[in-house]
Amino acid sequence: LHDPERFAQHLITATTLATAQLEHCKSLGYRGLARLPEMTAEPYRSLVDFPSYRRQTAVALDTPDRGMTQVTVTVSWDGDANAVHMRLIVAE
């Protein structure tokens, strides 16, 4: 059975983890983002205090246009059965 309260708690936690990563990337600015790898993976059991979540960060330079960088953060839980995807665009 699906527990809506438990799901909501996971959704809030995943959204918070994604938002924290987006804020970190935003603080790096356009030039700082250019130094990051295209993909960063934080597997299950690697996020301190949140072992049942995994987070992936994708950085796409010149996306959606020149002088812009798109950051996509995906936080998954329940063995990837559920996920939150959030995006940020940082301009030069």
Side-chain angles (χ1 to χ4, degrees):
L1 291 169
H2 188 276
D3 180 353
E5 188 173 319
R6 184 170 181 254
F7 178 80
Q9 290 171 344
H10 283 294
L11 182 62
I12 290 167
T13 300
T15 301
T16 301
L17 290 168
T19 300
Q21 183 68 356
L22 287 175
E23 289 298 322
H24 169 71
C25 290
K26 184 175 158 182
S27 74
L28 296 174
Y30 180 80
R31 294 195 196 296
L33 287 172
R35 292 189 293 271
L36 293 181
E38 286 183 26
M39 178 68 72
T40 303
E42 297 167 278
Y44 288 108
R45 293 180 290 288
S46 70
L47 293 168
V48 176
D49 297 327
F50 302 98
S52 60
Y53 297 86
R54 78 178 183 102
R55 181 168 59 190
Q56 289 184 304
T57 304
V59 178
L61 304 176
D62 292 324
T63 302
D65 204 351
R66 295 182 77 147
M68 298 179 176
T69 297
Q70 179 174 285
V71 179
T72 304
V73 177
T74 302
V75 178
S76 306
W77 70 96
D78 285 343
D80 298 345
N82 298 292
V84 168
H85 308 277
M86 296 179 77
R87 287 193 175 95
L88 168 72
I89 296 173
V90 177
E92 187 171 23

